[in-house]
Amino acid sequence: MDRETREFYDGDPQGYSDNTVECDVSDILGRFASHLNPGSRVLDLGCGSGRDTIVLRSMGFSVVPVDGSQGMCLTAERNTGDAVRRLDMLELDYEGEFDGVWACASMLHLREGEIPRALALVRRALRDGGVLYVSFKDGTFSGRRDGRWYTDMTPGAMTTALTSAGFVATDVWHSVDRRGTVWTNGLFSKGRAGTDRDK
């Protein structure tokens, strides 16, 4: 994320946590979990308050939470009781370590030109056959809202971006949150090694 977006989250991380802790993403978590085996290792990419890390762990997964905001990392540590690594998604250094990557409302803070690099790093972090969940606000807007950078995506744009990065689309759908915001959600899998992209 860019400096202004990071400063937004660093400025009042507890306030953001309090504002989002009641968001119900149980249906989406269930869809994601249905593609994982018990005990699977999951990267919570842009974990924010740690809300989803807690739920994923309660479902029996081994979860590694990371976030680009130091303030959010400290808040997530208080909420989860575990260390949270400060790591920008453009600096991901994992390789073949995860069965799933959960990127709920996090990659949307990247500029459009940064998304292909982030997806390449996510793909590298996944094991063959691993699954990625990703979400963006629905639409074509790209710019700053309330001090944060946003890149919105339609289902078509998301599918194009992810398949261009070597992922296989499993499911792409819309959802509406409690504020009436429409989201574009996607589940994508990493194909087996041995394709031209992997050589």
Side-chain angles (χ1 to χ4, degrees), residues 19 30 33 47 52 69-70 72 74 97 99 104 118 132 177 184 187 195:
N19 192 44
C47 68
D52 299 338
S69 159
Q70 184 62 32
M72 292 312 310
L74 294 173
E97 293 191 36
D99 304 293
C104 182
L132 164 67
D177 66 19
T184 298
L187 285 167
T195 65

Side-chain angles (χ1 to χ4, degrees), residues 13-143:
Q14 189 58 52
Y16 177 80
S17 175
D18 294 342
N19 192 44
T20 58
V21 69
E22 297 298 330
C23 292
D24 183 9
V25 293
S26 56
D27 174 70
I28 299 170
L29 279 163
R31 293 194 193 206
F32 176 69
S34 71
H35 295 273
L36 298 171
N37 294 319
S40 288
R41 185 169 167 84
V42 175
L43 176 67
D44 188 353
L45 181 59
C47 68
S49 67
R51 177 198 66 201
D52 299 338
T53 289
I54 294 169
V55 177
L56 286 163
R57 284 178 176 168
S58 75
M59 299 169 82
F61 303 121
S62 173
V63 186
V64 176
V66 302
D67 200 278
S69 159
Q70 184 62 32
M72 292 312 310
C73 287
L74 294 173
T75 299
E77 286 181 351
R78 288 194 294 270
N79 291 339
T80 64
D82 288 318
V84 177
R85 186 181 180 196
R86 197 213 71 78
L87 183 65
D88 190 279
M89 62 185 67
L90 293 173
E91 300 171 350
L92 282 179
D93 53 3
Y94 301 105
E95 185 168 355
E97 293 191 36
F98 299 99
D99 304 293
V101 173
W102 174 260
C104 182
S106 56
M107 295 188 77
L108 49 70
H109 289 314
L110 296 173
R111 295 175 185 268
E112 185 175 358
E114 297 172 327
I115 291 173
R117 170 165 173 74
L119 289 173
L121 293 174
V122 167
R123 192 170 186 276
R124 185 180 71 176
L126 280 167
R127 295 170 178 150
D128 289 342
V131 62
L132 164 67
Y133 166 75
V134 63
S135 61
F136 292 80
K137 291 188 176 184
D138 182 63
T140 58
F141 175 81
S142 181

